[in-house]
Amino acid sequence: MDSYIIESNKKKSRIPARLDFAQSGTGLVLGLFMWVHMLLVGSIILGKGSFDFVAKTMELAFLSDTGHGFPIAVFFAVLTIFTIFIIHALLGIRKFPISWKQHRILRDQIAMMNHTDTNLWYIQAVTGFIMFFAGSVHLYIMLTHPGSIDPYLSADRIVSGNMWPLYLILLVCVELHGTIGLYRLCMKWGWFAGKDARKSRQTLKKLKNRATVFFLTIGVFALLVFVVIGINHRDKLGEKYIKQAAAVEQVQAVEPIQAVEPIPVQAETKAVEEGQAPEEAHKADVTNE
Ligand code: HEM
């Protein structure tokens, strides 16, 4: 009775709604960022040169006369994404079942309802939980090595640095979490609702599935290409990728080898070569001097 009285007198707080809005906002930014990120990383499928071009552009190399990049630009980009990532995760844990009993009840309800969107929510919760850890590892490495994004250094990190299992797990989690998240945002805020809500829901669900398959395919292909490069590059670990043009220039820049004057072959040597006994040749040479 007492608690009821206190509750009913209290004005409904707007904080949960604001937190939901912030979670949707950070989720939207991260979801769209991941689509761009995967296309940029996927440039390795088009070749080392394209990935190198993308990495240098992300380092704002076009602003420098020498074409070298500014890793500090990547550092700040990672810092921004990492901050949004942590805020999004913090807002997300509000919805997690905090005890096994709560988890049990949730599982039973999901099983009983067998409602696809509720099942999707559970996939999001599990993939979100995994990304707490796998995403943080990746982001911390990017934050502390912003200048190490290049076809060889990335491939070395994936193969010799054994990052491929983490990337594989992270890839599946982020593509599921991201596309389900964007789909649920459309449902939650009524985006692209159209006249027939039921029909637009089915269309959005189809788009969601196709986007998941599309980005997973790019991610897996990119990872395979990195693995092949990394295996072939194991004996040159840590060597940076040099653009073809730069490599040719470097070769040309090396001082052309000076023509070496032939050293006059001494008479003695010549005589020996012609089969004269060394002692004979030497005696002859000394007498000539
Ligand atoms: C600004 C922040 C980020 C930067 C600069 C970045 C950069 C990169 C780079 C350069 C790679 C290629 C592999 C490597 O060099 O190690 C990569 C791969 C990957 N990143 Fe990120 N990343 C960022 C944020 C994220 C976030 C927030 C996630 C997910 C939570 C993520 C998930 C992945 C995955 C799954 C791969 C493997 C891609 C594949 O399978 O081919 N990244 N990232």
Side-chain angles (χ1 to χ4, degrees):
M1 194 61 195
D2 294 355
S3 61
Y4 173 74
I5 292 164
I6 293 168
E7 278 305 315
S8 60
N9 293 348
K10 227 163 132 195
K11 209 161 121 305
K12 269 225 158 289
S13 159
R14 286 175 168 283
I15 292 178
R18 290 207 182 110
L19 295 179
D20 273 359
F21 186 75
Q23 188 179 0
S24 298
T26 51
L28 180 66
V29 171
L30 288 169
L32 297 178
F33 164 81
M34 279 319 301
W35 281 2
V36 175
H37 164 288
M38 210 38 81
L39 292 175
L40 296 178
V41 172
S43 63
I44 194 71
I45 300 169
L46 305 174
K48 297 187 205 105
S50 351
F51 185 81
D52 188 58
F53 172 75
V54 167
K56 288 284 175 303
T57 311
M58 292 300 121
E59 289 179 1
L60 309 180
F62 51 85
L63 295 178
S64 79
D65 312 337
T66 56
H68 81 274
F70 304 96
I72 191 79
V74 176
F75 172 81
F76 281 110
V78 180
L79 193 63
T80 313
I81 293 294
F82 210 165
T83 311
I84 299 174
F85 180 84
I86 292 170
I87 294 171
H88 184 71
L90 271 178
L91 293 165
I93 37 183
R94 290 171 311 138
K95 307 282 170 74
F96 275 40
I98 48 175
S99 67
W100 182 246
K101 188 166 167 249
Q102 274 194 6
H103 183 262
R104 207 39 283 137
I105 296 169
L106 182 72
R107 288 295 306 152
D108 293 349
Q109 280 175 352
I110 289 176
M112 191 180 63
M113 289 163 65
N114 194 16
H115 178 242
T116 32
D117 282 20
T118 314
N119 295 345
L120 289 179
W121 177 86
Y122 191 69
I123 296 172
Q124 263 215 313
V126 173
T127 52
F129 183 76
I130 296 170
M131 282 198 289
F132 273 157
F133 310 100
S136 306
V137 173
H138 171 51
L139 283 163
Y140 184 76
I141 292 174
M142 287 295 132
L143 192 68
T144 50
H145 302 80
S148 70
I149 302 176
D150 114 342
Y152 287 146
L153 297 179
S154 294
D156 290 344
R157 190 176 18 251
I158 289 171
V159 175
S160 307
N162 298 317
M163 279 291 281
W164 65 267
L166 182 126
Y167 278 145
L168 211 48
I169 294 166
L170 190 57
L171 177 70
V172 174
C173 287
V174 76
E175 291 318 330
L176 284 175
H177 190 95
T179 40
I180 294 172
L182 292 172
Y183 163 76
R184 284 172 55 79
L185 281 184
C186 296
M187 291 302 110
K188 187 173 180 142
W189 303 99
W191 298 335
F192 314 109
K195 290 200 186 63
D196 180 346
R198 199 181 178 75
K199 201 155 165 288
S200 51
R201 178 190 281 259
Q202 275 155 5
T203 321
L204 283 170
K205 211 170 260 178
K206 250 195 234 127
L207 279 177
K208 172 188 74 66
N209 295 339
R210 287 191 189 140
T212 309
V213 173
F214 174 72
F215 285 105
L216 269 179
T217 313
I218 290 189
V220 169
F221 260 116
L223 214 49
L224 286 174
V225 174
F226 274 125
V227 167
V228 172
I229 297 171
I231 290 172
N232 296 333
H233 196 250
R234 269 182 301 189
D235 54 345
K236 298 194 200 94
L237 209 53
E239 172 210 36
K240 277 202 123 184
Y241 171 82
I242 300 174
K243 237 186 331 197
Q244 283 322 38
V248 173
E249 271 160 34
Q250 239 182 11
V251 172
Q252 283 165 345
V254 171
E255 289 298 309
I257 298 167
Q258 302 299 328
V260 180
E261 290 301 314
I263 303 162
V265 178
Q266 292 204 341
E268 182 183 336
T269 337
K270 207 151 172 255
V272 170
E273 274 165 11
E274 285 161 4
Q276 201 174 12
E279 301 75 32
E280 295 286 315
H282 183 65
K283 244 192 257 142
D285 202 18
V286 173
T287 42
N288 289 346
E289 271 169 13

